[in-house]
Amino acid sequence: MALRERSFPSQRRNSTTMKRSKANFETWSWFFMRISGLILFFLALIHFSITHIFNDVTTTTVAFVAKRWANPLWRVFDWLLLALGLMHGSNGLRFIMDDYIRTPRRRAFAKAFMYSLSAALFVVGTITIVTYKGTL
Amino acid sequence: MSTRPTIYKGKTGQWAFVLHRISGFLILMFILLHIIDISTINFPSVYASIHRLYGNVFMRTFEVGLLFGLTYHALNGLRVIMIDFFPGVIKNEKRLFVAMFSLSLLLTVVGGVIILKPFFTGRV
Ligand code: HEM
């Protein structure tokens, strides 16, 4: 995404601090996309290889998951993939919404919907990974 | 938005950018669904009936598409990161795009055979 130089009326009127804080947030977001991307590179490709290449997808049964999650390190792995994937993906979707949704009201609505959905799924995913007490 | 050209708004990177955007969006949509289907793990019969679907030929084809989206997005993401952090790389960005795109195609073909074959041979 191109980092845009947006200027809001409040910023034009006010001191430079608001402008700076906006720029700071976008800079962190830019940096976050790159760091999370580097980590996801390994997490996502390893995950896909395990569930589709080294094992056939039809063998990823409940027993398969129970066996993997018997090792807490795989739970950590899957949780990191969940957390980073959701944050990286929803921040990416925020860029996309900024680019294509032109009216401020619709944009605010779309973002509110997207943040709520990601947060809800983050909770669902975390509960699934943390509380699973599978027996083999 | 400024109309000053940037590395993202120039000519050569435009296709790389469009594909990166579409693949990122589609992977995100899949992750959202995938979180829900895995959350049925506490209801083993529901989980089993959903996961049986993953084995049919339509879903397997979809999985090959997901593989292409993921490998392209991952490799092109590395290309973007390299361009941003190492200023010299921009000179080779076009060749780098061709390399990353070809590599993701290659990985998709190899992975695609592995993913689709069990459906036709019946052997997992
Ligand atoms: C596998 C390793 C991955 C790498 C190396 C990576 C890298 C990147 C980078 C560097 C960007 C910023 C591009 C820019 O600023 O122009 C980006 C954007 C994005 N990524 Fe990823 N990513 C990865 C995985 C994922 C995953 C798993 C998802 C989905 C959940 C995803 C969804 C997105 C989206 C929606 C965007 C925004 C695209 C846009 O602004 O056009 N990425 N990715």
Side-chain angles (χ1 to χ4, degrees):
Chain A
M1 184 197 74
L3 288 175
R4 262 131 332 121
E5 295 141 283
R6 282 192 285 192
S7 90
F8 296 99
S10 57
Q11 291 176 337
R12 284 199 292 273
R13 244 184 288 116
N14 260 319
S15 62
T16 53
T17 45
M18 274 188 80
K19 205 174 251 164
R20 194 176 297 136
S21 82
K22 186 76 189 172
N24 263 339
F25 176 73
E26 290 302 340
T27 308
W28 277 112
S29 148
W30 176 90
F31 194 61
F32 169 77
M33 288 309 267
R34 274 129 193 93
I35 299 301
S36 58
L38 280 179
I39 303 173
L40 281 168
F41 185 86
F42 296 101
L43 297 182
L45 291 179
I46 291 173
H47 173 76
F48 190 95
S49 308
I50 292 174
T51 51
H52 294 275
I53 305 293
F54 301 128
N55 294 288
D56 189 71
V57 70
T58 52
T59 64
T60 59
T61 55
V62 173
F64 179 91
V65 178
K67 203 171 141 203
R68 262 182 97 238
W69 282 358
N71 182 344
L73 284 180
W74 280 118
R75 295 200 198 217
V76 173
F77 182 101
D78 287 351
W79 186 79
L80 277 177
L81 184 55
L82 168 79
L84 287 176
L86 271 179
M87 285 197 282
H88 179 102
S90 55
N91 196 41
L93 190 51
R94 183 177 67 85
F95 299 164
I96 297 178
M97 287 173 168
D98 274 338
D99 279 355
Y100 302 129
I101 306 180
R102 307 308 302 181
T103 61
R105 266 192 56 179
R106 281 192 204 165
R107 198 190 284 170
F109 185 78
K111 284 187 190 173
F113 178 74
M114 185 229 351
Y115 292 141
S116 320
L117 186 66
S118 319
L121 286 173
F122 175 70
V123 172
V124 169
T126 302
I127 290 176
T128 308
I129 295 174
V130 173
T131 67
Y132 184 64
K133 290 193 193 65
T135 41
L136 294 174
Chain B
M1 200 191 288
S2 82
T3 50
R4 193 158 38 83
T6 70
I7 46 180
Y8 300 115
K9 299 288 173 184
K11 260 185 203 157
T12 47
Q14 201 75 308
W15 282 108
F17 166 77
V18 169
L19 277 178
H20 195 79
R21 177 158 279 193
I22 295 172
S23 57
F25 180 78
L26 293 179
I27 301 165
L28 179 64
M29 293 304 114
F30 175 71
I31 284 194
L32 301 184
L33 277 179
H34 191 40
I35 293 169
I36 296 178
D37 78 63
I38 291 299
S39 74
T40 65
I41 190 87
N42 288 308
F43 310 94
S45 63
V46 181
Y47 180 99
S49 56
I50 293 176
H51 275 251
R52 251 196 306 279
L53 296 178
Y54 279 110
N56 79 37
V57 75
F58 298 107
M59 284 305 283
R60 283 181 193 267
T61 308
F62 170 84
E63 287 148 27
V64 177
L66 180 64
L67 176 60
F68 178 66
L70 187 63
T71 49
Y72 173 76
H73 189 97
L75 290 168
N76 187 60
L78 287 190
R79 171 181 156 277
V80 171
I81 294 170
M82 286 193 278
I83 291 173
D84 285 349
F85 288 113
F86 307 102
V89 176
I90 188 75
K91 280 190 297 236
N92 294 312
E93 69 75 29
K94 203 169 184 176
R95 254 186 296 168
L96 203 52
F97 169 67
V98 173
M100 294 307 199
F101 186 84
S102 315
L103 186 55
S104 56
L105 264 187
L106 179 72
L107 291 172
T108 305
V109 170
V110 174
V113 170
I114 297 175
I115 291 171
L116 286 169
K117 207 172 153 197
F119 183 82
F120 296 104
T121 62
R123 259 173 304 155
V124 170

